[in-house]
Amino acid sequence: MGRALLFVILVAFVSPAMAEPVGAPIPLGIAVATTSNVALFGEEQVNGAKIAEAYLNARGGVNGTPVKLVFQDTGGDEAGAINAFQTLITAKVTAIIGPTLSQQAFAADPLADRAKVPVIGPSNTAKGIPQIGEYIGRISAPMTVVAPNSLKKALALNPQIKKTAVLFAQNDAFSTSETGVFQEAIKALNLEIVTLQKFQTTDTDFTTHVTAVLGSNADLVVISGLAADSGNLVKQLRQLGYKGLIVGGNGLNSSNMFPVCGSLCEGILVAQAYSPQADIPVNKEFVAKFTEAYKKGPAQFSAQAFAGVQILVEALAKVEKESGKKITEMELADVRTALNKALRTGSYMTPLGEVSLDAEGEVHQKQFYVSVIKMSPDGKAGAFELSK
Amino acid sequence: MSSAWFLQNLLNGLSIGSVYAVFALGYTLVFSILGIINFAHGAVFTLGAYLTYSLAVGQFGLNGLLAGVSLPFKLPFVLALVVGGALSGLAGMAVERLAFRPLRKRGADALLALVSSLGVALILVNLIQYLFGAEIYSFPADVFGSLPPAIIFTVSGKLVAVRSVQVILFGVSMSMLALLVWFIHFTKQGKALRATAENTDTASLLGISVDSFILGTFFISGILGGLSGTLIGVSFGLAGPYFGVAYGLKALAVIVLGGLGSIPGAVVGGLVIGLAEAFLPPEMSSYKEAVAYVLLFVVLLVRPQGLLGNDAEQKV
Amino acid sequence: MDDFIARYGFLFVTIIQQALLGLSLYFPLMAGQLSLASIGFYALGGYVAAIMGTHPELAAFRAFAGGFLYPLEWMVALALSFVLALVLGFPALRLRGIYLALATIAFVQVLGVVVLNMPIAGGAVGIFGIPQPFESRLAYVWFFGPLLALTLFFIWKLERSGTGRMFFSIREDELAARSMGVNVTWRKVQAFVIGCCLAGVTGAMSAPFLNTWNARQGTFDAAVACLAYVLIGGARSKWGALLGAALLVSLPELLRPLKDSRMILNGLMLVVACVYMPRGIAGLLARSGK
């Protein structure tokens, strides 16, 4: 007990004194997972956010004041997300982008909401996220529209399809809700689900699942999962002789698929909330800058993080315009409140297309895409090709 | 239940089960000498895969410290496998020096080695992430030359399909097992190892240098871990620095099921769990993760020393 | 100071919460049993509180219970843990040493899979929007603090009681204890059940504390972390769990300035602590006190 107290006192001395104005450059918090087994996504988010910082500051930041991203690792758990959020809130950021997982958002977002710090969820797709509080919004759309579209695309390619096999990652929040949408759409299209298989995102050996799919004589396979597991599943399906079409959910919208299934990724229809090929000026610049920096195209997580930073910067500019004062001359608390309000007005042209946040903080995204994976013959390079 | 269906699941189960077995052997060897479970074994498994990848492919991604680096040389896969295995063995020795020996010398609570090996695992996994990033790496498809992706044949009119890499997994694992059995039963070092496992005090009276044999055991255990990691990596890709964790846990179930410290037990345990997972009915797929642990629990309650363990003494 | 409380309030309470989990392992260890099952009970207790706090069919009950909802959650978690621990304890505690540890890990793993398959537990997303008794995270010290004090007092009394001495006699030498007429199995189960009940109640308190509960709570990782608290803190002292939790929970936070390499150093500190404090922090303090 004595030790804990000593520790409390020690840290009290090094913690900074209260200071109210907004710092220059304007600090924006990024709380994503750069350690733990979620780090694959967190790293993509960090990459996208860094491009946004450079790109937006080169264009003058917030009416001439640059922004500065403050990164804090959340790890993969709830406590880590809470700690990262607390660190950022006391570091006087104007807003927070994060955390990576929906489960973490349910734990950490209420704290930011109580501290009246605006939060933009870059990848939280679960039901109920914007409803956590007034200050909570997201730019990651739940995929209710696009999943059926990709099924229709599959039917257009092969009208003979009757039997579908549905597989999903049971321990992934996004995949379990997405598969529900898929299953309803399948029924609505009068197709039959001949086998329903569950797996874990940590699974690698899918031979038993594939045996069941092959045994069911399915002529369409629908997968909701993440890149590594889905990539392995596709690879094993193809190697063991499955010839029919494969439709993948939004989790498969990642170039991380390519190293896993290689040339066998060819032809998967993927439901996308973001396409690097989208014909939008800001997206073209984003893709060019990203490719220049990282030698590969951006993933959806990177684009969503970019969009998050972008809408914060644009909303901050709106706050300046409305108040007639520079952000750096305003009180932090006022900026946070005004920013939260400004975020929910108007629309933003981001790499994701035109997005807006409604009063509740829920995202409204105009464009969704269905792409086909095209691989180079040696299986080393791949691309998502928009299907028109 | 057709014979094709049966054969298909049998082959699936044997293939993955054989890798479980090789991996679990690394645990069980250390346990047989020290009576302690080496929690860093899963990290060595992961490290082995990354090392072999570096030697055989030498291309790094965009996130770790090694971002954009290409190694100037590329070893043929078989050579990379051997060198990567040897390096994993050295990593196993490093684990021993770092996490086990200092505690042994101080006569600390044996349980503490669980925590210190866990610490080493934390170091290794995060070091891998620091260097390589969390992204997915994979071996090129032609790593074994131009094999067909799968062997497909018919049994009583039904198709049975086996991935070529499954056959390789099974073959390599079984050869490793044979090699290990030969080493332990037919070489001087192997016999000394067994003597040390039986009783460290007697072994040191017989003039066997216990410390160097413990170190040697960790070397072999590291090789087994690293090689099985590479095999899994070749088959399924390297899905980030944590991809060994699930295997590490499952291998724990394997060695207890077979009997702690028992080499044939680890083999039987690995195959039993692999087969049990394969024969799980498709509509129960959501419980696949639990199969190994349910089996473990039931076997422990019925036969606490495991399937092939002898109930001489239970060390902690 | 306000900033300081905001920044480290959660961490401070987390230390107490994790110390309680560490203590839930300490009880079976008093009787020489290494069981990690209580982490499963932590998960279970959390689900009890999460379901009682959010299930739509219990809305009328919540309105009726008012502020007593929380103690009621603890009671239900306690009762459930007690029954399940008894059922699990008798067969499991026939096992000894590392076998018991591994069997209990298996229990934790199986429980995780079962929970993931139960619709009432909310699947992968879990349960969220759990009612909050306090606004500030630091205020949860009013939940966990008294429980910790009570637990430590209980251990203090137990150590001086006949039951406690029987626990210790089993830890020192099971055969000797048996020959002295100690009902070894029953005493082991007793220690096991107490630990599981403590973890269940801690879980029930933790669900509101974390705002959300899901299948990723109370996993193998959590189990070994708790074991680490006890061993690094000192497995033979009731203060060990608290000291260990204080060190290991705050370490990753104190290492934050190191950014990407912080978890490497965290692991290194774990090894160093094991090597240089073979009897744990409590052992070190006791020695320097003499």
Side-chain angles (χ1 to χ4, degrees):
Chain A
M1 205 62 210
R3 279 220 149 182
L5 209 68
L6 188 69
F7 156 68
V8 166
I9 294 164
L10 265 179
V11 189
F13 277 107
V14 292
S15 73
M18 292 284 272
E20 283 310 306
V22 179
I26 302 166
L28 300 174
I30 311 281
V32 294
T34 53
T35 59
S36 89
N37 57 359
V38 196
L40 177 63
F41 310 116
E43 283 178 352
E44 288 180 348
Q45 292 172 321
V46 167
N47 293 342
K50 279 186 175 159
I51 297 291
E53 183 185 31
Y55 171 78
L56 295 166
N57 279 339
R59 299 181 47 155
V62 182
N63 299 326
T65 317
V67 295
K68 186 180 100 216
L69 300 186
V70 185
F71 293 92
Q72 283 298 341
D73 171 31
T74 59
D77 63 347
E78 286 71 14
I82 292 177
N83 279 318
F85 267 51
Q86 300 281 32
T87 310
L88 287 173
I89 293 169
T90 40
K92 317 217 175 307
V93 297
T94 47
I96 297 174
I97 295 175
T100 305
L101 296 178
S102 294
Q103 292 99 323
Q104 292 178 304
F106 287 126
D109 284 359
L111 309 181
D113 186 58
R114 252 173 255 140
K116 301 200 186 330
V117 180
V119 174
I120 296 292
S123 52
N124 313 136
T125 48
K127 221 163 98 180
I129 297 277
Q131 288 76 25
I132 291 172
E134 205 188 325
Y135 281 79
I136 311 302
R138 64 170 153 197
I139 45 161
S140 40
M143 304 283 294
T144 43
V145 199
V146 68
N149 286 351
S150 55
L151 287 175
K152 283 184 195 131
K153 191 68 80 183
L155 277 175
L157 286 172
N158 178 9
Q160 308 301 319
I161 290 171
K162 284 277 171 305
K163 296 174 171 175
T164 55
V166 177
L167 299 102
F168 71 97
Q170 181 197 15
N171 62 341
D172 178 58
F174 175 74
S175 302
T176 44
S177 69
E178 188 191 57
T179 196
V181 177
F182 267 129
Q183 287 174 35
E184 271 172 39
I186 289 169
K187 280 172 203 143
L189 291 166
N190 284 322
L191 303 175
E192 184 195 355
I193 297 176
V194 283
T195 180
L196 180 64
Q197 294 279 308
K198 300 172 187 180
F199 58 89
Q200 314 285 323
T201 51
T202 48
D203 277 354
T204 44
D205 180 38
F206 291 98
T207 44
T208 52
H209 299 90
V210 173
T211 302
V213 171
L214 294 176
S216 72
N217 291 320
D219 41 22
L220 175 68
V221 168
V222 179
I223 302 171
S224 294
L226 301 178
D229 42 345
S230 305
N232 265 312
L233 177 53
V234 168
K235 176 168 150 186
Q236 291 166 41
L237 270 169
R238 291 297 188 208
Q239 286 186 338
L240 293 173
Y242 174 71
K243 300 241 160 37
L245 279 170
I246 298 176
V247 165
N250 194 224
L252 280 75
N253 183 24
S254 160
S255 53
N256 286 318
M257 291 277 294
F258 304 153
V260 186
C261 45
S263 57
L264 299 172
C265 300
E266 178 77 23
I268 308 174
L269 289 162
V270 178
Q272 295 177 299
Y274 166 71
S275 164
Q277 294 188 329
D279 192 14
I280 303 161
V282 62
N283 183 45
K284 295 211 149 135
E285 288 188 64
F286 167 58
V287 172
K289 292 259 188 298
F290 193 98
T291 316
E292 190 191 331
Y294 302 110
K295 312 286 176 270
K296 80 174 195 186
Q300 180 177 316
F301 280 99
S302 305
Q304 285 170 329
F306 180 100
V309 178
Q310 186 194 343
I311 67 169
L312 284 179
V313 169
E314 289 182 15
L316 281 168
K318 261 191 274 181
V319 171
E320 283 202 343
K321 199 172 156 207
E322 277 160 28
S323 68
K325 274 195 286 188
K326 298 296 280 180
I327 295 287
T328 44
E329 287 159 12
M330 294 167 69
E331 295 272 299
L332 179 61
D334 298 342
V335 171
R336 285 171 171 173
T337 313
L339 172 61
N340 194 54
K341 211 172 278 164
L343 275 169
R344 284 156 176 71
T345 60
S347 66
Y348 305 86
M349 206 54 186
T350 69
L352 307 173
E354 192 184 333
V355 297
S356 58
L357 266 59
D358 65 18
E360 209 168 28
E362 180 64 281
V363 64
H364 292 270
Q365 184 174 336
K366 289 270 163 62
Q367 282 104 330
F368 291 98
Y369 312 91
V370 177
S371 278
V372 182
I373 296 184
K374 292 278 174 205
M375 300 299 297
S376 68
D378 65 356
K380 282 189 180 137
F384 292 93
E385 204 160 276
L386 278 182
S387 71
K388 296 274 151 40
Chain B
M1 300 300 114
S2 70
S3 53
W5 174 87
F6 181 83
L7 187 64
Q8 177 73 64
N9 288 327
L10 183 72
L11 294 173
N12 290 345
L14 285 178
S15 167
I16 194 70
S18 66
V19 185
Y20 290 164
V22 173
F23 183 37
L25 271 175
Y27 269 126
T28 228
L29 275 181
V30 168
F31 188 88
S32 70
I33 301 272
L34 292 181
I36 292 172
I37 286 182
N38 171 16
F39 270 147
H41 193 53
V44 172
F45 168 96
T46 313
L47 184 69
Y50 276 87
L51 286 172
T52 312
Y53 171 85
S54 306
L55 294 168
V57 184
Q59 295 277 339
F60 302 99
L62 56 96
N63 282 315
L65 197 65
L66 293 171
V69 173
S70 298
L71 290 184
F73 58 88
K74 254 199 215 176
L75 298 184
F77 178 73
V78 177
L79 194 60
L81 186 72
V82 172
V83 179
L87 288 176
S88 314
L90 292 180
M93 286 164 75
V95 170
E96 201 274 327
R97 295 302 288 263
L98 203 60
F100 289 88
R101 181 172 296 188
L103 291 176
R104 210 165 56 241
K105 294 293 171 215
R106 280 171 173 263
D109 189 344
L111 277 180
L112 217 48
L114 287 183
V115 179
S116 66
S117 62
L118 198 72
V120 176
L122 206 60
I123 297 175
L124 286 177
V125 166
N126 282 286
L127 194 65
I128 292 171
Q129 173 160 357
Y130 192 63
L131 293 175
F132 294 84
E135 59 210 71
I136 300 168
Y137 289 93
S138 71
F139 289 90
D142 57 356
V143 68
F144 298 114
S146 50
L147 284 179
I151 304 161
I152 299 175
F153 53 96
T154 45
V155 172
S156 52
K158 290 227 165 121
L159 287 181
V160 175
V162 182
R163 298 169 69 212
S164 306
V165 70
Q166 283 180 280
V167 179
I168 293 171
L169 245 56
F170 186 71
V172 176
S173 304
M174 286 301 148
S175 327
M176 293 284 309
L177 287 180
L179 205 64
L180 190 73
V181 169
W182 169 80
F183 173 78
I184 287 183
H185 288 272
F186 298 100
T187 66
K188 216 176 121 198
Q189 288 83 357
K191 284 176 185 159
L193 205 75
R194 275 198 300 164
T196 318
E198 291 290 324
N199 191 326
T200 38
D201 294 337
T202 337
S204 61
L205 283 178
L206 288 170
I208 295 171
S209 159
V210 175
D211 269 353
S212 57
F213 270 98
I214 291 177
L215 206 56
T217 308
F218 272 87
F219 181 66
I220 299 172
S221 160
I223 295 178
L224 293 170
L227 284 184
S228 44
T230 305
L231 289 178
I232 292 293
V234 170
S235 179
F236 309 118
L238 280 55
Y242 289 82
F243 88 95
V245 173
Y247 286 92
L249 254 175
K250 208 164 274 173
L252 274 183
V254 167
I255 54 171
V256 184
L257 192 70
L260 277 171
S262 156
I263 288 172
V267 179
V268 170
L271 295 179
V272 165
I273 287 182
L275 288 170
E277 287 181 348
F279 278 98
L280 190 74
E283 53 287 359
M284 303 269 290
S285 62
S286 58
Y287 290 93
K288 188 182 165 198
E289 260 324 277
V291 168
Y293 308 105
V294 170
L295 267 179
L296 159 69
F297 203 75
V298 172
V299 167
L300 276 183
L301 295 188
V302 180
R303 199 181 146 79
Q305 69 274 36
L307 292 175
L308 298 183
N310 47 357
D311 194 23
E313 54 175 332
Q314 294 182 343
K315 301 178 192 174
V316 171
Chain C
M1 197 61 199
D2 288 352
D3 267 7
F4 171 75
I5 290 172
R7 170 65 189 87
Y8 291 105
F10 174 76
L11 186 65
F12 179 70
V13 181
T14 307
I15 290 173
I16 303 179
Q17 179 226 17
Q18 295 293 307
L20 283 164
L21 284 183
L23 284 171
S24 77
L25 301 190
Y26 179 75
F27 281 102
L29 274 176
M30 282 173 84
Q33 304 305 305
L34 178 59
S35 153
L36 298 172
S38 52
I39 303 309
F41 288 81
Y42 167 70
L44 218 58
Y47 274 113
V48 166
I51 291 168
M52 284 177 70
T54 60
H55 201 280
E57 281 179 25
L58 295 176
F61 159 76
R62 279 193 293 276
F64 172 74
F68 288 102
L69 174 67
Y70 303 100
L72 281 170
E73 288 173 357
W74 309 339
M75 293 302 159
V76 175
L78 181 77
L80 194 69
S81 302
F82 180 78
V83 174
L84 189 63
L86 266 184
V87 172
L88 184 70
F90 276 104
L93 286 157
R94 287 170 42 218
L95 301 168
R96 273 181 288 159
I98 200 80
Y99 289 88
L100 175 63
L102 293 168
T104 50
I105 286 179
F107 163 75
V108 170
Q109 289 289 107
V110 172
L111 191 72
V113 176
V114 169
V115 157
L116 202 55
N117 283 294
M118 285 186 358
I120 195 170
V125 186
I127 296 169
F128 54 89
I130 298 167
Q132 304 284 307
F134 310 112
E135 282 239 322
S136 131
R137 292 305 98 180
L138 184 63
Y140 277 85
V141 79
W142 300 117
F143 273 17
F144 296 109
L147 183 62
L148 180 70
L150 201 71
T151 307
L152 288 171
F153 177 72
F154 178 69
I155 296 175
W156 183 77
K157 288 293 272 183
L158 188 66
E159 282 170 342
R160 275 151 192 78
S161 72
T163 310
R165 276 194 288 273
M166 280 188 242
F167 286 0
F168 289 142
S169 72
I170 299 171
R171 181 173 75 185
E172 297 312 326
D173 190 337
E174 189 172 327
L175 277 179
R178 197 187 296 273
S179 63
M180 286 188 319
V182 175
N183 183 345
V184 172
T185 309
W186 168 236
R187 293 299 165 191
K188 283 186 194 170
V189 171
Q190 214 175 359
F192 176 83
V193 170
I194 298 172
C196 292
C197 288
L198 176 62
V201 175
T202 307
M205 290 181 174
S206 300
F209 178 57
L210 286 180
N211 294 313
T212 180
W213 206 255
N214 53 54
R216 303 181 317 124
Q217 308 299 325
T219 55
F220 171 74
D221 290 349
V224 286
C226 293
L227 181 62
Y229 304 150
V230 178
L231 295 176
I232 295 271
R236 300 215 149 203
S237 158
K238 58 181 171 298
W239 301 104
L242 182 59
L243 295 170
L247 178 72
L248 297 184
V249 173
S250 54
L251 199 56
E253 290 308 307
L254 298 179
L255 293 177
R256 262 188 194 279
L258 293 176
K259 302 247 163 188
D260 291 349
S261 50
R262 73 182 173 124
M263 294 314 280
I264 303 177
L265 209 73
N266 196 28
L268 199 62
M269 294 292 285
L270 214 56
V271 178
V272 169
C274 289
V275 172
Y276 289 102
M277 299 187 294
R279 303 200 155 269
I281 305 173
L284 200 70
L285 292 180
R287 205 171 353 140
S288 59
K290 269 175 200 164

